[in-house]
Each structure stands twice: as structure tokens, then as C-alpha cells.
Amino acid sequence: ICTVVEELVNDLLCVCRTLSGNDFMPRLQPAVGLGGFQEGQNAYEEDLVYRLIVPLKPPPGHSFHLELGT
């Protein structure tokens, strides 16, 4: 099931990349699945939680950097 969800999200991201032709927006990369796990003590098979991370790349000519602060 996780593979199907990941493929669906990647298809949606592809459409978003195509429709957002703006060069100043961060670039959506393919989703990365972190697998599934059961939530709670008495979780059933239907209660699996899947986490997908969608990495972002900076737009051309830009870069991301961390700012130190409180």
C-alpha cells in the first residue's frame, strides 16, 4: 500500500511541477517514503501510518541556508 501511495504522491507532484512554471518557486522533488508503522498500543493493520517527505530544491540561481537564532 505504501508504494501505491508514494506513486500517487509523485504523480501529483509531477503535475504541480508542470503547472507551476514559475522559476522563483522551490522545486518539488520526488517523495521519499519512510515506511509504515502502527500507531498506538493496540493498533490494527488498518491503522498503519505512512510518512512521505517531499524534498525541496532551491530555484535556479538561489540556495537554501540555515539561519542560526534562538
Side-chain angles (χ1 to χ4, degrees):
I1 294 176
C2 186
T3 305
V4 173
V5 172
E6 192 171 338
E7 288 175 6
L8 176 63
V9 169
N10 281 327
D11 289 345
L12 290 172
L13 291 172
C14 182
V15 170
C16 289
R17 282 191 298 269
T18 302
L19 293 177
S20 68
N22 189 346
D23 290 335
F24 298 107
M25 297 291 289
R27 303 284 180 214
L28 300 169
Q29 301 301 302
V32 178
L34 296 179
F37 62 92
Q38 291 182 345
E39 197 172 63
Q41 292 179 349
N42 296 325
Y44 296 99
E45 189 173 325
E46 302 88 35
D47 295 336
L48 288 177
V49 175
Y50 297 102
R51 295 182 188 236
L52 295 173
I53 295 176
V54 178
L56 297 174
K57 277 185 142 179
H62 297 272
S63 64
F64 293 145
H65 67 276
L66 295 175
E67 292 187 13
L68 299 176
T70 57

Coordinates of all heavy atoms in Angstrom, one line a residue:
I1 N 0.8 -1.2 0.0 CA 0.0 0.0 0.0 C 0.9 1.2 0.0 O 0.6 2.2 -0.7 CB -1.0 0.0 1.2 CG1 -2.0 -1.1 1.1 CG2 -1.7 1.3 1.3 CD1 -2.9 -1.3 2.2
C2 N 2.0 1.2 0.7 CA 2.9 2.4 0.8 C 3.4 2.8 -0.6 O 3.5 3.9 -0.9 CB 4.0 2.1 1.8 SG 5.0 3.6 2.1
T3 N 3.7 1.8 -1.4 CA 4.2 2.0 -2.7 C 3.2 2.7 -3.6 O 3.5 3.6 -4.3 CB 4.7 0.7 -3.4 OG1 5.6 0.0 -2.5 CG2 5.3 0.9 -4.7
V4 N 1.9 2.3 -3.5 CA 0.9 2.9 -4.2 C 0.7 4.4 -3.8 O 0.5 5.2 -4.7 CB -0.5 2.1 -4.0 CG1 -1.6 2.8 -4.7 CG2 -0.3 0.7 -4.6
V5 N 0.7 4.6 -2.5 CA 0.6 6.0 -2.0 C 1.8 6.8 -2.5 O 1.6 8.0 -2.9 CB 0.5 6.0 -0.5 CG1 0.6 7.4 0.1 CG2 -0.7 5.3 0.0
E6 N 3.0 6.3 -2.4 CA 4.1 7.0 -2.9 C 4.0 7.3 -4.4 O 4.4 8.5 -4.8 CB 5.4 6.2 -2.6 CG 6.7 7.0 -2.8 CD 7.9 6.3 -2.2 OE1 7.7 5.4 -1.4 OE2 9.0 6.6 -2.7
E7 N 3.6 6.4 -5.2 CA 3.4 6.6 -6.6 C 2.4 7.7 -6.9 O 2.6 8.6 -7.8 CB 3.0 5.4 -7.3 CG 4.2 4.4 -7.4 CD 3.7 3.0 -8.0 OE1 2.6 2.9 -8.5 OE2 4.6 2.1 -8.1
L8 N 1.3 7.7 -6.2 CA 0.2 8.7 -6.3 C 0.7 10.1 -6.0 O 0.5 11.0 -6.7 CB -1.0 8.3 -5.4 CG -2.1 9.3 -5.4 CD1 -2.7 9.5 -6.8 CD2 -3.2 8.9 -4.4
V9 N 1.5 10.2 -4.9 CA 2.0 11.5 -4.5 C 3.0 12.0 -5.5 O 3.0 13.2 -5.9 CB 2.7 11.4 -3.1 CG1 3.5 12.6 -2.7 CG2 1.6 11.2 -2.0
N10 N 3.8 11.1 -6.0 CA 4.8 11.5 -7.0 C 4.1 12.0 -8.3 O 4.5 12.9 -9.0 CB 5.8 10.4 -7.3 CG 6.9 10.3 -6.3 OD1 7.3 11.3 -5.7 ND2 7.3 9.1 -6.0
D11 N 3.0 11.3 -8.7 CA 2.2 11.7 -9.8 C 1.6 13.1 -9.6 O 1.7 14.0 -10.5 CB 1.1 10.8 -10.2 CG 1.6 9.4 -10.7 OD1 2.8 9.4 -11.1 OD2 0.8 8.5 -10.7
L12 N 1.1 13.4 -8.4 CA 0.6 14.7 -8.1 C 1.7 15.8 -8.1 O 1.5 16.9 -8.5 CB -0.1 14.7 -6.7 CG -1.4 13.9 -6.7 CD1 -1.9 13.8 -5.2 CD2 -2.5 14.6 -7.5
L13 N 2.9 15.4 -7.6 CA 4.0 16.4 -7.6 C 4.4 16.7 -9.0 O 4.8 17.8 -9.3 CB 5.2 15.8 -6.8 CG 4.9 15.7 -5.3 CD1 6.1 14.9 -4.6 CD2 4.8 17.1 -4.7
C14 N 4.4 15.7 -9.9 CA 4.7 15.9 -11.3 C 3.8 16.9 -11.9 O 4.2 17.8 -12.6 CB 4.7 14.6 -12.0 SG 5.2 14.7 -13.7
V15 N 2.5 16.8 -11.6 CA 1.5 17.7 -12.1 C 1.8 19.1 -11.6 O 1.7 20.1 -12.3 CB 0.1 17.3 -11.8 CG1 -0.9 18.3 -12.1 CG2 -0.2 16.0 -12.6
C16 N 2.1 19.2 -10.3 CA 2.4 20.5 -9.7 C 3.6 21.2 -10.3 O 3.6 22.4 -10.5 CB 2.6 20.3 -8.2 SG 1.1 19.9 -7.2
R17 N 4.6 20.4 -10.6 CA 5.8 20.9 -11.2 C 5.5 21.4 -12.6 O 6.0 22.5 -13.0 CB 6.9 19.9 -11.3 CG 7.6 19.6 -9.9 CD 8.9 18.8 -10.1 NE 8.6 17.4 -10.6 CZ 8.4 16.4 -9.9 NH1 8.4 16.5 -8.6 NH2 8.1 15.2 -10.4
T18 N 4.7 20.7 -13.3 CA 4.3 21.1 -14.7 C 3.5 22.4 -14.7 O 3.7 23.3 -15.5 CB 3.5 20.0 -15.4 OG1 4.3 18.8 -15.4 CG2 3.2 20.4 -16.8
L19 N 2.5 22.5 -13.7 CA 1.6 23.6 -13.7 C 2.3 24.9 -13.1 O 1.9 26.0 -13.5 CB 0.4 23.3 -12.9 CG -0.5 22.3 -13.5 CD1 -1.7 22.0 -12.6 CD2 -1.0 22.7 -14.9
S20 N 3.3 24.7 -12.3 CA 3.9 25.9 -11.7 C 5.2 26.2 -12.4 O 6.3 25.9 -12.1 CB 4.3 25.7 -10.2 OG 5.3 24.7 -10.1
G21 N 5.0 26.9 -13.5 CA 6.2 27.2 -14.4 C 7.0 28.4 -13.9 O 7.9 28.9 -14.5
N22 N 6.7 28.8 -12.6 CA 7.4 29.9 -12.0 C 8.9 29.5 -11.7 O 9.1 28.6 -10.9 CB 6.7 30.4 -10.8 CG 7.2 31.7 -10.2 OD1 8.3 32.1 -10.6 ND2 6.4 32.3 -9.4
D23 N 9.9 30.3 -12.2 CA 11.2 29.9 -11.9 C 11.7 30.3 -10.5 O 12.8 30.0 -10.0 CB 12.2 30.6 -12.9 CG 12.0 30.0 -14.3 OD1 11.6 28.9 -14.4 OD2 12.3 30.7 -15.3
F24 N 10.9 31.1 -9.7 CA 11.3 31.6 -8.4 C 10.6 30.8 -7.3 O 10.7 31.2 -6.1 CB 10.9 33.1 -8.3 CG 11.6 33.9 -9.3 CD1 11.0 34.5 -10.3 CD2 13.0 34.1 -9.1 CE1 11.6 35.2 -11.3 CE2 13.7 34.9 -10.1 CZ 13.0 35.5 -11.1
M25 N 10.0 29.7 -7.6 CA 9.4 28.8 -6.6 C 10.4 27.6 -6.3 O 11.1 27.2 -7.2 CB 8.1 28.2 -7.1 CG 7.0 29.2 -7.3 SD 6.4 30.0 -5.8 CE 5.6 28.7 -5.1
P26 N 10.5 27.1 -5.1 CA 11.3 25.9 -4.8 C 10.8 24.8 -5.6 O 9.6 24.6 -6.0 CB 11.0 25.7 -3.3 CG 10.6 27.0 -2.7 CD 9.8 27.7 -3.9
R27 N 11.7 23.9 -6.1 CA 11.5 22.8 -6.9 C 11.1 21.6 -6.1 O 11.9 21.2 -5.2 CB 12.7 22.4 -7.8 CG 13.1 23.6 -8.6 CD 12.2 23.7 -9.8 NE 12.7 24.8 -10.6 CZ 11.8 25.6 -11.3 NH1 10.6 25.4 -11.2 NH2 12.3 26.6 -12.0
L28 N 9.9 21.0 -6.3 CA 9.5 19.8 -5.6 C 10.2 18.6 -6.2 O 10.2 18.4 -7.4 CB 8.0 19.6 -5.7 CG 7.1 20.8 -5.2 CD1 5.7 20.6 -5.7 CD2 7.2 20.8 -3.7
Q29 N 10.8 17.8 -5.3 CA 11.5 16.6 -5.7 C 10.6 15.4 -5.5 O 9.6 15.5 -4.7 CB 12.8 16.4 -4.9 CG 13.8 17.6 -5.2 CD 14.1 17.8 -6.6 OE1 14.6 16.9 -7.2 NE2 13.8 19.0 -7.2
P30 N 10.9 14.2 -6.0 CA 10.1 13.0 -5.8 C 10.0 12.7 -4.3 O 11.0 12.9 -3.5 CB 10.8 11.9 -6.5 CG 11.6 12.6 -7.6 CD 12.0 13.9 -7.0
A31 N 8.9 12.2 -3.9 CA 8.6 11.9 -2.5 C 9.5 10.7 -2.0 O 9.8 9.8 -2.8 CB 7.2 11.5 -2.2
V32 N 9.9 10.7 -0.8 CA 10.7 9.7 -0.2 C 9.9 9.0 0.9 O 9.5 9.7 1.9 CB 12.0 10.2 0.4 CG1 12.8 9.1 1.0 CG2 12.8 10.9 -0.7
G33 N 9.6 7.8 0.8 CA 8.8 7.1 1.8 C 9.7 6.7 3.0 O 10.8 6.2 2.9
L34 N 9.1 6.8 4.2 CA 9.8 6.4 5.4 C 9.2 5.1 6.0 O 9.5 4.8 7.1 CB 9.7 7.5 6.5 CG 10.3 8.9 6.2 CD1 10.1 9.9 7.3 CD2 11.8 8.7 5.9
G35 N 8.4 4.5 5.2 CA 7.8 3.2 5.6 C 6.6 3.4 6.5 O 6.2 4.5 6.7
G36 N 6.0 2.3 6.9 CA 4.8 2.3 7.7 C 5.1 1.8 9.1 O 5.9 1.0 9.3
F37 N 4.3 2.3 10.0 CA 4.4 1.8 11.4 C 3.0 1.9 12.0 O 2.1 2.6 11.5 CB 5.4 2.5 12.2 CG 5.1 4.0 12.4 CD1 4.4 4.4 13.5 CD2 5.6 4.9 11.5 CE1 4.1 5.8 13.7 CE2 5.3 6.3 11.7 CZ 4.6 6.7 12.7
Q38 N 2.8 1.1 13.1 CA 1.5 1.1 13.7 C 1.5 2.2 14.8 O 2.5 2.3 15.5 CB 1.2 -0.2 14.3 CG 1.0 -1.3 13.2 CD 0.6 -2.6 13.8 OE1 0.8 -2.9 15.0 NE2 0.1 -3.5 13.0
E39 N 0.4 2.9 14.9 CA 0.2 3.9 15.9 C -0.6 3.5 17.0 O -1.6 2.9 16.8 CB -0.4 5.2 15.2 CG -0.2 6.4 16.0 CD -0.7 7.6 15.2 OE1 -1.9 7.6 14.9 OE2 0.1 8.5 14.8
G40 N -0.1 3.7 18.2 CA -0.9 3.2 19.4 C -0.5 1.9 19.9 O 0.2 1.1 19.2
Q41 N -0.9 1.5 21.1 CA -0.6 0.2 21.6 C -1.3 -1.0 21.0 O -0.8 -2.0 20.7 CB -0.8 0.2 23.1 CG 0.1 1.1 23.9 CD -0.2 1.1 25.4 OE1 -1.2 0.6 25.8 NE2 0.7 1.7 26.1
N42 N -2.6 -0.8 20.7 CA -3.4 -1.8 20.2 C -3.8 -1.5 18.7 O -5.0 -1.6 18.4 CB -4.7 -2.0 21.0 CG -4.4 -2.5 22.4 OD1 -3.5 -3.3 22.6 ND2 -5.1 -2.0 23.4
A43 N -2.8 -1.2 17.9 CA -3.1 -0.8 16.5 C -3.4 -2.0 15.7 O -2.9 -3.1 15.9 CB -1.9 -0.1 16.0
Y44 N -4.4 -1.8 14.8 CA -4.7 -2.9 13.8 C -4.0 -2.6 12.5 O -3.4 -1.5 12.3 CB -6.2 -2.9 13.6 CG -7.0 -3.3 14.9 CD1 -7.5 -2.3 15.7 CD2 -7.1 -4.6 15.3 CE1 -8.2 -2.6 16.8 CE2 -7.8 -4.9 16.4 CZ -8.3 -4.0 17.2 OH -9.0 -4.3 18.4
E45 N -4.0 -3.6 11.6 CA -3.4 -3.4 10.3 C -3.9 -2.2 9.6 O -3.2 -1.6 8.8 CB -3.6 -4.7 9.5 CG -2.7 -4.7 8.3 CD -2.8 -6.1 7.6 OE1 -2.9 -7.1 8.2 OE2 -2.8 -6.1 6.3
E46 N -5.2 -1.9 9.7 CA -5.8 -0.8 9.0 C -5.3 0.6 9.6 O -5.5 1.6 9.0 CB -7.3 -0.8 9.1 CG -7.9 -2.0 8.6 CD -8.0 -3.1 9.6 OE1 -8.2 -2.8 10.8 OE2 -7.9 -4.3 9.3
D47 N -4.6 0.6 10.7 CA -4.2 1.8 11.4 C -2.7 2.2 11.1 O -2.1 2.9 11.8 CB -4.4 1.7 12.9 CG -5.8 1.6 13.3 OD1 -6.7 2.1 12.5 OD2 -6.1 1.1 14.4
L48 N -2.2 1.6 10.0 CA -0.8 1.9 9.7 C -0.6 3.4 9.2 O -1.5 3.9 8.6 CB -0.3 1.0 8.5 CG 0.0 -0.4 8.9 CD1 0.4 -1.2 7.7 CD2 1.0 -0.6 10.0
V49 N 0.5 4.0 9.6 CA 0.7 5.4 9.3 C 1.9 5.4 8.4 O 3.0 4.8 8.6 CB 1.1 6.2 10.6 CG1 1.5 7.6 10.2 CG2 -0.1 6.2 11.5
Y50 N 1.8 6.0 7.2 CA 2.9 6.2 6.3 C 3.3 7.6 6.2 O 2.5 8.5 6.2 CB 2.4 5.7 4.9 CG 2.0 4.3 4.8 CD1 0.7 3.9 4.8 CD2 3.0 3.3 4.8 CE1 0.3 2.6 4.7 CE2 2.6 2.0 4.7 CZ 1.3 1.6 4.7 OH 0.9 0.3 4.7
R51 N 4.6 7.8 6.2 CA 5.2 9.2 6.1 C 6.0 9.3 4.9 O 6.8 8.5 4.5 CB 6.1 9.4 7.3 CG 5.3 9.4 8.6 CD 6.1 9.8 9.8 NE 5.3 9.5 11.0 CZ 5.1 10.5 11.9 NH1 5.7 11.6 11.8 NH2 4.4 10.2 12.9
L52 N 5.7 10.4 4.2 CA 6.4 10.7 2.9 C 7.0 12.1 3.1 O 6.3 13.0 3.5 CB 5.4 10.7 1.7 CG 4.8 9.4 1.3 CD1 3.8 9.6 0.2 CD2 5.9 8.4 0.9
I53 N 8.2 12.2 2.7 CA 8.9 13.5 2.8 C 9.1 14.0 1.3 O 9.4 13.2 0.5 CB 10.3 13.4 3.4 CG1 10.1 13.0 4.9 CG2 11.1 14.7 3.3 CD1 11.5 12.7 5.6
V54 N 8.8 15.3 1.1 CA 8.9 15.8 -0.2 C 10.1 16.9 -0.1 O 9.9 18.0 0.4 CB 7.6 16.5 -0.7 CG1 7.8 17.2 -2.1 CG2 6.5 15.5 -0.7
P55 N 11.3 16.5 -0.6 CA 12.4 17.4 -0.6 C 12.2 18.6 -1.5 O 11.5 18.4 -2.5 CB 13.6 16.5 -1.0 CG 13.1 15.1 -1.0 CD 11.6 15.1 -1.1
L56 N 12.7 19.7 -1.1 CA 12.7 20.9 -2.0 C 14.1 21.3 -2.4 O 15.0 21.2 -1.6 CB 12.1 22.1 -1.2 CG 10.7 21.9 -0.7 CD1 10.3 23.1 0.2 CD2 9.7 21.8 -1.9
K57 N 14.2 21.7 -3.7 CA 15.5 22.2 -4.2 C 15.2 23.7 -4.4 O 14.1 24.1 -4.8 CB 15.9 21.6 -5.5 CG 16.6 20.3 -5.4 CD 17.0 19.8 -6.8 CE 18.3 19.1 -6.7 NZ 18.8 18.7 -8.0
P58 N 16.3 24.5 -4.2 CA 16.1 25.9 -4.4 C 15.9 26.2 -5.9 O 16.3 25.5 -6.8 CB 17.4 26.6 -3.9 CG 18.4 25.5 -3.9 CD 17.6 24.2 -3.7
P59 N 15.2 27.3 -6.2 CA 15.1 27.7 -7.7 C 16.4 28.0 -8.3 O 17.4 28.3 -7.5 CB 14.2 28.9 -7.6 CG 14.1 29.4 -6.2 CD 14.6 28.3 -5.4
P60 N 16.5 28.0 -9.6 CA 17.8 28.3 -10.2 C 18.4 29.7 -9.8 O 17.6 30.7 -9.7 CB 17.5 28.3 -11.7 CG 16.2 27.5 -11.8 CD 15.5 27.7 -10.6
G61 N 19.7 29.7 -9.5 CA 20.3 30.9 -9.0 C 20.1 31.2 -7.6 O 20.6 32.3 -7.1
H62 N 19.5 30.4 -6.8 CA 19.3 30.6 -5.4 C 19.8 29.4 -4.6 O 20.1 28.4 -5.1 CB 17.8 30.8 -5.1 CG 17.2 32.0 -5.7 ND1 17.2 33.2 -5.2 CD2 16.6 32.1 -6.9 CE1 16.6 34.1 -6.0 NE2 16.2 33.4 -7.1
S63 N 19.9 29.6 -3.3 CA 20.3 28.5 -2.4 C 19.6 28.6 -1.1 O 19.1 29.7 -0.7 CB 21.8 28.5 -2.2 OG 22.2 29.7 -1.5
F64 N 19.4 27.5 -0.4 CA 18.9 27.4 0.9 C 20.0 27.4 1.9 O 21.0 26.8 1.7 CB 18.0 26.2 1.1 CG 16.8 26.1 0.3 CD1 16.3 24.9 -0.2 CD2 16.0 27.2 0.1 CE1 15.2 24.8 -0.9 CE2 14.8 27.1 -0.7 CZ 14.4 25.9 -1.2
H65 N 19.8 28.1 3.0 CA 20.8 28.1 4.1 C 20.1 28.2 5.4 O 19.1 28.8 5.5 CB 21.9 29.1 3.9 CG 21.4 30.5 4.1 ND1 20.8 31.2 3.1 CD2 21.4 31.3 5.2 CE1 20.4 32.4 3.5 NE2 20.8 32.5 4.8
L66 N 20.7 27.6 6.5 CA 20.1 27.7 7.8 C 20.6 28.9 8.5 O 21.7 29.4 8.4 CB 20.6 26.5 8.6 CG 20.1 25.1 8.2 CD1 20.8 24.0 9.0 CD2 18.6 25.0 8.2
E67 N 19.6 29.6 9.2 CA 20.0 30.8 9.9 C 20.0 30.4 11.4 O 19.1 29.8 11.9 CB 18.9 31.9 9.7 CG 19.0 32.4 8.3 CD 18.1 33.6 8.2 OE1 17.6 34.2 9.2 OE2 17.8 34.0 7.0
L68 N 21.1 30.7 12.1 CA 21.2 30.4 13.5 C 20.4 31.5 14.3 O 20.4 32.7 13.9 CB 22.6 30.5 13.9 CG 23.5 29.4 13.2 CD1 25.0 29.6 13.7 CD2 23.1 28.0 13.6
G69 N 19.7 31.1 15.3 CA 19.0 32.0 16.1 C 18.4 31.3 17.3 O 18.7 30.2 17.6
T70 N 17.6 32.0 18.0 CA 17.0 31.5 19.2 C 15.8 30.6 19.0 O 15.1 30.7 18.0 CB 16.6 32.6 20.2 OG1 15.7 33.4 19.5 CG2 17.8 33.4 20.6

